[in-house]
Amino acid sequence: MRTLEYHELFLCSPARLFEALHTPSLIRVWWEASSVIVIPQPNGAFAATWGDHEDDPDYVVTAVLSAYDPPNRSVMSDARYFAKTGPLGFEGDYVIEYRVLLHEQGAMLHLLHTGIPSVPEADEYYAGCDTGWKRCFANLHKLLDA
């Protein structure tokens, strides 16, 4: 399995960063999603959609919010990805973990995205996740560093 790991510094408080990671209206902005639902509690839920049609989204991501410890850490596990174009063509055990730490300049986000298979069929998905997270971080910086 492959892992994507990032360390990003944001010029805000850890509480503000954690809030942006778990508030649907803010996630919609930095994930560029059409809709987001978060049930912010241990064993809560996360769902996001993309596309112009609410009744027929292009993409959907769902997960269990298996750990929720504001403002320090959360874990989305049992993540599932659906695309209108069909299944990915491989299975993974996707987990996304956010850790938020106090930094002298603001808040440090440590993000781990694990469970991406190490098979050639997953190469494009892996690269797309890396590009997507970097785009999300740029959007999150615009939202929080102002």
Side-chain angles (χ1 to χ4, degrees):
M1 292 292 177
R2 290 184 265 192
T3 297
L4 293 163
E5 183 173 3
Y6 308 93
H7 305 277
E8 285 285 321
L9 175 62
F10 293 90
L11 305 178
C12 64
S13 70
R16 177 69 177 135
L17 175 56
F18 197 86
E19 174 187 41
L21 298 173
H22 298 90
T23 302
S25 60
L26 298 176
I27 297 167
R28 261 193 5 259
V29 171
W30 65 273
W31 272 34
E32 299 176 352
S34 302
S35 65
V36 176
I37 297 170
V38 178
I39 308 299
Q41 63 188 35
N43 293 312
F46 177 91
T49 67
W50 290 263
D52 295 331
H53 303 288
E54 180 179 9
D55 294 331
D56 189 24
D58 295 331
Y59 304 98
V60 177
V61 171
T62 64
V64 174
L65 197 55
S66 55
Y68 184 74
D69 180 24
N72 305 307
R73 178 177 176 261
S74 68
V75 177
M76 292 183 281
S77 59
D78 194 28
R80 301 186 189 272
Y81 174 84
F82 303 92
K84 187 188 281 190
T85 56
L88 290 172
F90 53 87
E91 293 292 321
D93 186 19
Y94 311 109
V95 176
I96 297 169
E97 178 179 10
Y98 297 134
R99 287 188 180 270
V100 177
L101 303 169
L102 180 62
H103 186 278
E104 63 187 25
Q105 296 176 324
M108 180 65 72
L109 172 63
H110 294 250
L111 185 147
L112 283 175
H113 182 163
T114 63
I116 302 170
S118 297
V119 296
E121 297 84 8
D123 290 348
E124 186 176 338
Y125 178 80
Y126 179 82
C129 288
D130 183 48
T131 299
W133 280 121
K134 290 173 181 172
R135 184 173 175 158
C136 285
F137 293 145
N139 292 337
L140 194 54
H141 279 289
K142 289 177 192 172
L143 184 68
L144 296 175
D145 293 347

